[in-house]
Amino acid sequence: MTDLKIRVLVAKPGLDGHDRGAKVIARALRDAGMEVIYTGLRQTPEMIVSAALQEDVQVIGLSILSGAHNAIVPRVMDLLHQNKMYDVLVLVGGIIPDQDIDSLKKCGVAAIFQPGTAMNDIVTFIRSNVKSAGVPAAFK
Amino acid sequence: MENKASKPQVAEPIADVFENRRPSEAEKKWAEKTLAPTLEKNPERPIGAPTGVNVNDLGHACFTTISGVPIRRLYTRADLPEDWSEEKYLAYPGQPPYTRGIHATGYRGKLYTMRQFSGFASPEETNRRYKYLLEHGGGGLSVAFDLPTLMGYDSDHAASEGEVGKCGVAIDSLQDMEILFSGIDLEKTTVSMTINSPASVLWAMYLVVAEKQGADWKKISGTIQNDILKEYIAQKEYIYPPAPSMRLVIDTFEFGSKFTPRFNTISISGYHIREAGSTALQELAFTLYDGVEYVEWARRRGLEVDEFGPRLSFFFNAHNDFFEEIAKYRAARKIWSRVMKDRFGAKNQRTWLMRFHTQTAGVSLPAQQPMNNIARVALQALAAVLGGTQSLHCDSYDEALALPTEEAARIALRTQQIIAYESGVTQTVDPLGGSYFLENLTLQMEKNAFDYFAKLDAMGGMVKAIERGYPQKEIAESAYQYQRAVEAGEKIIVGVNDFTIEEEPPQILYIDESVARQQSAKLKALRGQRSNDEVRRTLDALKKAAAQEPRGGTNGNISPVNTMPYLVDAVRAYATVGEICEALREIYGTYTETSIT
């Protein structure tokens, strides 16, 4: 039987240790029926992309609160492209100033969730934007 | 439902007046004659959606604190123990168990210190902000370091990319520390530093800066956070494994009690535990038990509890639930005095009393309609003052968006001043003492914290509990439950899940990458100017000491392998934070947690 569960990698890059948001989101996505892999803290872009490749995920959620997003996110996107993982939906959550949103979207981030986003909005966004990756069209 | 039906039932809806308590005849009469008809006519309505935590299975409204603790409609004498008396349960201010505060005159003799936490970008810029805060009536400083500093990396390390100067000030060497405090008299200004895994390194830098200013180590006062246990539990900025980390902490206790008698060598912190999503009770219990763990380790080193005990200080969160927070502070003092006296046999009164700093809850301040946060912070800060805090930081309204702008930082300081000088609450000691509600909450907090203590004792202490992920799991569960209640609308957050509007983004403080370039250039110049031989020699000596098991010193001396004097030497030679932490990484290795979701 085909596994219909959406597979998500929740990753915490950079030096920051504030993992409350990442953990709450991981659990919310799991409760919404998705398969969630949480990387733990201090993952480099290389570690994140290699985990995404190995786990064959359709979605990567990056949680960044420290202000390092402009250094980290473009590197993750580059590595995804190098590995031809064009179909992976990349989301960024955390403290992201408005002025950085455009440049992050330009490098390929599908959505940025700032403080106060409801967990449900994230679930809905993933369900309506995730690329097929083996999910029969009828179920989309 | 079956269980409910088989329970002995008093006529609804006033059954709760009789449940597990013995109301006086007068209260019974009130319940029957006044309360019952009122409830009949106007049933109580929950605050927030009538689902989940807000209704019981009979469909009646339920009320809980933000931590989920059920709250009664009315508290009376029937909610205190039968043997309750002022003498037995409260005593007087300045007397054990210090429920009513540690000073006999409350804030009349000494106001709380208005200590605003601040640090961003370069040491030059932060130095300017410090002078600004001091000029505007700030009473002490509190240093926020950036993530590379907190994790023991220099600004030019690969892991620091994108992080330099973002969450705090970048400090790489003694040179930066000299800039940070230039023009600030360290004998007169108390300084608190939020630094943990590399705490002893940054403290050594601070001591050398003080010495260069001509300040006497015996006279300087301040605090290093130095609380590694809560890093493993909540904040997650750890470098080395627990055992060597604890050893470094105990080294500072030993060194401090001998050379810097007025410096707090630790600030045992519940703040971050709460920010990570714990309840008020978990914050209280885990923090105080961390305190127990430090005392245990220090005693194992051979230190006397009455020597280092008076230098232990605490740090709590001030969250939204006004009375629950006040109860938490009062219970904290009470529990600590009992622990120090009964569990550790401390004889010195200074050891029994808990001194603490409070910061308003950053996590409670949403990005939506941020100006509303000024009101939230004022209420939270008021709770801290009514709870008897020794020092206070008020968060800036733009907390969820970025580091504070100068205006936001000034309003936060003004909030403290309005409470201190206008509200009148600082004129009377523990003005809420004796309130049935507050005393009931205080007693519940105390009892439930000791229940957590028993569990942690059974696990073999906090380090063991951390290794099995116990506090981490408890906190993650509470965080999730809270978030669920918020999203279901069962807990209302004004401007977020109710009373929302469309709005323009506010002005924020934006930190770019130029700080990283500046810091890297300074490091390059420093490595060219200093004696690199001297750096190597001092780091080798440090490694040698760090590799040996310290024992208590003899003849009034500290242990010969206490790392502090070696750190002071390395810092004097201008070894960098990254180089020193790297030397210790070579000896101790690093720690990775098993992540739990």
Side-chain angles (χ1 to χ4, degrees):
Chain A
M1 204 181 109
T2 326
D3 182 11
L4 299 179
K5 280 189 168 181
I6 298 172
R7 292 174 65 79
V8 185
L9 184 79
V10 173
K12 189 89 189 105
L15 295 179
D16 178 32
H18 292 87
D19 56 3
R20 175 180 183 163
K23 283 182 170 180
V24 166
I25 290 296
R27 181 146 167 209
L29 299 182
R30 204 170 283 151
D31 286 357
M34 301 181 197
E35 191 83 49
V36 180
I37 301 109
Y38 172 55
T39 61
L41 297 171
R42 310 216 164 83
Q43 303 291 303
T44 61
E46 289 74 14
M47 290 155 90
I48 291 167
V49 172
S50 113
L53 200 57
Q54 269 175 30
E55 299 284 351
D56 193 24
V57 297
Q58 294 144 275
V59 184
I60 299 176
L62 300 169
S63 168
I64 310 174
L65 286 80
S66 70
H69 47 274
N70 290 332
I72 291 162
V73 177
R75 274 170 57 207
V76 172
M77 298 312 297
D78 272 356
L79 289 165
L80 287 174
H81 287 162
Q82 280 171 33
N83 287 284
K84 304 202 176 0
M85 296 161 77
Y86 306 110
D87 282 349
V88 176
L89 189 70
V90 178
L91 313 174
V92 175
I95 301 187
I96 311 292
D98 289 337
Q99 65 197 89
D100 292 340
I101 289 182
D102 274 355
S103 68
L104 294 179
K105 285 200 167 164
K106 235 172 248 162
C107 78
V109 174
I112 287 132
F113 298 109
Q114 290 171 297
T117 307
M119 297 190 285
N120 237 339
D121 293 351
I122 299 172
V123 170
T124 310
F125 184 90
I126 292 177
R127 285 207 179 115
S128 40
N129 290 281
V130 69
K131 303 281 171 18
S132 57
V135 182
F139 291 90
K140 278 177 72 185
Chain B
M1 289 309 263
E2 269 173 350
N3 277 341
K4 279 270 170 200
S6 64
K7 259 196 196 165
Q9 293 246 341
V10 186
E12 289 289 350
I14 56 165
D16 62 323
V17 174
F18 300 89
E19 234 170 89
N20 304 319
R21 66 200 284 280
R22 299 226 301 253
S24 67
E25 284 308 314
E27 193 186 341
K28 275 187 206 160
K29 213 171 134 197
W30 165 80
E32 282 153 12
K33 300 276 185 268
T34 310
L35 175 64
T38 307
L39 288 172
E40 194 79 25
K41 217 160 69 189
N42 291 314
E44 292 172 335
R45 289 180 307 180
I47 299 167
T51 55
V53 299
N54 288 343
V55 282
N56 64 15
D57 24 4
L58 296 166
H60 292 152
C62 291
F63 297 81
T64 54
T65 67
I66 199 169
S67 302
V69 176
I71 291 298
R72 307 185 61 77
R73 152 189 327 107
L74 178 77
Y75 287 78
T76 68
R77 180 64 181 79
D79 297 294
L80 298 179
E82 284 189 18
D83 66 343
W84 195 89
S85 73
E86 225 176 321
E87 280 68 24
K88 183 162 182 191
Y89 280 81
L90 294 179
Y92 290 89
Q95 276 182 356
Y98 307 103
T99 317
R100 308 202 66 180
I102 61 169
H103 297 304
T105 59
Y107 292 123
R108 287 184 168 205
K110 191 178 187 303
L111 199 58
Y112 55 87
T113 306
M114 299 181 192
R115 190 185 298 285
Q116 292 293 111
F117 184 44
S118 168
F120 61 99
S122 63
E124 289 85 351
E125 277 177 80
T126 299
N127 176 262
R128 277 194 289 278
R129 176 69 67 91
Y130 287 169
K131 287 177 176 160
Y132 177 86
L133 286 167
L134 291 172
E135 276 161 24
H136 284 78
L141 297 174
S142 173
V143 186
F145 295 99
D146 70 354
L147 275 166
T149 310
L150 294 173
M151 293 300 297
Y153 294 116
D154 286 336
S155 295
D156 58 359
H157 190 279
S160 306
E161 201 193 337
E163 314 262 22
V164 178
K166 292 282 168 68
C167 295
V169 60
I171 298 293
D172 290 314
S173 73
L174 178 63
Q175 194 183 45
D176 291 331
M177 208 67 154
E178 290 170 300
I179 297 167
L180 189 67
F181 294 112
S182 94
I184 297 168
D185 184 341
L186 297 186
E187 224 177 69
K188 294 209 179 89
T189 315
T190 65
V191 178
S192 164
M193 289 185 277
T194 296
I195 188 79
N196 293 281
S197 211
S200 48
V201 182
L202 275 295
W203 190 39
M205 285 185 180
Y206 184 86
L207 293 175
V208 175
V209 172
E211 184 186 82
K212 287 191 164 191
Q213 280 190 1
D216 182 352
W217 279 6
K218 298 257 188 250
K219 286 190 192 148
I220 56 169
S221 95
T223 307
I224 42 173
Q225 196 164 78
N226 204 19
D227 173 12
I228 197 65
L229 291 172
K230 67 94 175 53
E231 294 298 330
Y232 299 113
I233 296 172
Q235 173 99 337
K236 312 289 173 76
E237 267 116 38
Y238 40 71
I239 304 174
Y240 326 108
S245 291
M246 289 296 278
R247 176 248 163 106
L248 292 174
V249 173
I250 307 305
D251 281 357
T252 64
F253 288 6
E254 189 186 29
F255 183 87
S257 52
K258 178 115 182 93
F259 299 105
T260 58
R262 297 187 55 202
F263 218 94
N264 301 315
T265 38
I266 194 165
S267 170
I268 306 165
S269 306
Y271 186 82
H272 320 79
I273 292 176
R274 190 66 179 280
E275 291 287 295
S278 82
T279 62
L281 170 66
Q282 289 166 342
E283 176 195 353
L284 175 71
F286 294 155
T287 307
L288 267 60
Y289 198 88
D290 282 349
V292 167
E293 188 85 4
Y294 289 117
V295 176
E296 298 276 9
W297 284 66
R299 279 162 38 118
R300 255 177 264 153
R301 171 79 66 91
L303 306 184
E304 279 298 325
V305 69
D306 279 321
E307 262 169 44
F308 66 87
R311 296 329 299 169
L312 305 176
S313 66
F314 288 81
F315 173 22
F316 293 109
N317 199 295
H319 214 291
N320 286 339
D321 205 295
F322 194 69
F323 288 99
E324 183 173 56
E325 293 301 277
I326 302 170
K328 180 183 75 185
Y329 308 123
R330 297 171 91 245
R333 277 191 295 267
K334 213 173 160 189
I335 296 168
W336 190 244
S337 78
R338 273 182 58 185
V339 164
M340 290 311 257
K341 225 167 131 175
D342 302 344
R343 182 168 179 146
F344 296 118
K347 302 271 184 298
N348 180 353
Q349 286 226 11
R350 300 283 310 164
T351 315
W352 302 342
L353 50 88
M354 163 184 277
R355 295 164 302 119
F356 66 94
H357 171 71
T358 307
Q359 177 169 339
T360 59
V363 78
S364 74
L365 307 180
Q368 291 75 14
Q369 302 178 42
M371 289 295 177
N372 297 346
N373 292 331
I374 298 173
R376 289 191 180 91
V377 166
L379 287 166
Q380 294 168 356
L382 183 61
V385 173
L386 291 171
T389 193
Q390 272 61 61
S391 79
L392 182 61
H393 164 97
C394 279
D395 285 330
S396 299
Y397 65 82
D398 51 1
E399 170 85 20
L401 303 158
L403 262 53
T405 60
E406 196 167 88
E407 190 202 24
R410 191 184 63 240
I411 293 171
L413 176 60
R414 293 288 179 256
T415 305
Q416 299 217 23
Q417 292 161 339
I418 290 166
I419 293 173
Y421 303 119
E422 294 183 15
S423 74
V425 297
T426 54
Q427 304 186 110
T428 303
V429 190
D430 188 33
L432 294 175
S435 143
Y436 299 124
F437 178 36
L438 185 63
E439 297 303 350
N440 172 285
L441 284 180
T442 307
L443 288 171
Q444 269 191 60
M445 279 274 182
E446 183 188 351
K447 182 195 165 292
N448 295 336
F450 277 119
D451 287 349
Y452 263 121
F453 276 33
K455 271 187 214 164
L456 291 159
D457 276 342
M459 286 178 201
M462 191 51 105
V463 168
K464 293 275 173 4
I466 287 167
E467 282 165 357
R468 57 195 265 193
Y470 172 71
Q472 298 96 308
K473 269 183 237 163
E474 289 277 302
I475 295 165
E477 178 63 26
S478 301
Y480 184 72
Q481 292 310 335
Y482 175 71
Q483 192 62 30
R484 192 210 57 75
V486 168
E487 302 219 349
E490 290 161 18
K491 293 279 178 200
I492 287 177
I493 302 175
V494 174
V496 176
N497 63 1
D498 207 348
F499 314 106
T500 54
I501 54 165
E502 288 297 319
E503 56 186 330
E504 286 292 307
Q507 284 288 322
I508 60 160
L509 179 77
Y510 191 86
I511 294 159
D512 61 25
E513 303 304 319
S514 64
V515 186
R517 289 192 293 273
Q518 270 174 47
Q519 287 300 109
S520 299
K522 274 201 274 182
L523 275 168
K524 205 174 159 205
L526 177 79
R527 291 188 181 116
Q529 287 157 6
R530 66 181 187 187
S531 159
N532 289 314
D533 283 344
E534 183 62 6
V535 169
R536 216 164 299 129
R537 188 192 65 74
T538 55
L539 290 179
D540 285 343
L542 169 67
K543 283 196 271 188
K544 220 171 127 192
Q548 293 172 65
E549 194 65 43
R551 294 208 182 77
T554 44
N555 304 327
N557 295 317
I558 61 170
S559 156
V561 295
N562 183 311
T563 48
M564 272 308 296
Y566 298 93
L567 287 168
V568 170
D569 284 347
V571 160
R572 271 205 191 102
Y574 288 89
T576 64
V577 171
E579 289 162 347
I580 296 172
C581 291
E582 193 52 39
L584 293 175
R585 278 188 197 100
E586 281 173 35
I587 306 296
Y588 297 141
T590 55
Y591 180 75
T592 317
E593 74 166 1
T594 336
S595 62
I596 305 138
T597 55

